[in-house]
Amino acid sequence: MDKLDHIFALQKAFNDELIERRHLQDIPDDKWIQMQTLAMVSELAELIDEVNFKWWKNPKPVNPDNVKEELVDILHFFVSMCLRAGMDAQELHRRYLAKNQENFDRQHGRSPKPGYALEE
């Protein structure tokens, strides 16, 4: 099992236990994804607090371990949403590769979509 498959398996096990323990079986997929998105937004806010985005305050030293912890929290919610949307690690990987290629094509002026032509 590769690392991404392992992450997805661990998250599925956690989700299954959470749903059973907290009696969340009746939450429809769209509501689950809404709730997970809000949780991720909360984690993103915690992450941005870690990297001194408040230019009106004196900066504190950035703790790289705290930054990494927040990134892991975000990953938990992201993978949970992938699972709920019916996407496994292989599909995520496949879709990521396709989107990554599209992003490179856009930056190199090879996209048929408007707005990405390179200025000469």
Side-chain angles (χ1 to χ4, degrees), residues 51-115:
V51 294
N52 295 308
F53 87 101
K54 295 180 180 177
W55 63 90
W56 60 90
K57 289 177 68 176
N58 294 331
K60 63 178 183 172
V62 173
N63 181 328
D65 198 53
N66 288 354
V67 169
K68 292 172 185 178
E69 189 69 26
E70 297 306 335
L71 290 167
V72 170
D73 289 344
I74 293 163
L75 180 61
H76 273 96
F77 290 114
F78 175 77
V79 173
S80 180
M81 286 188 281
C82 288
L83 289 165
R84 200 62 180 238
M87 184 167 28
D88 63 10
Q90 288 73 37
E91 183 179 356
L92 175 62
H93 183 256
R94 186 178 71 254
R95 287 177 176 271
Y96 178 90
L97 292 178
K99 187 63 175 193
N100 184 263
Q101 183 62 56
E102 180 181 330
N103 289 341
F104 270 101
D105 288 347
R106 287 176 177 175
Q107 295 310 309
H108 291 248
R110 296 187 303 251
S111 176
K113 293 186 178 182

Side-chain angles (χ1 to χ4, degrees), residues 4 11 14 16 18 21 25 30 37 42 50 53 57 61 68 84 86 91 95 100 108 111 114-115 117:
L4 189 56
Q11 189 63 49
F14 178 81
D16 291 347
L18 175 71
R21 280 187 186 271
Q25 295 87 348
D30 60 331
T37 300
S42 176
E50 289 293 333
F53 87 101
K57 289 177 68 176
K68 292 172 185 178
R84 200 62 180 238
E91 183 179 356
R95 287 177 176 271
N100 184 263
H108 291 248
S111 176

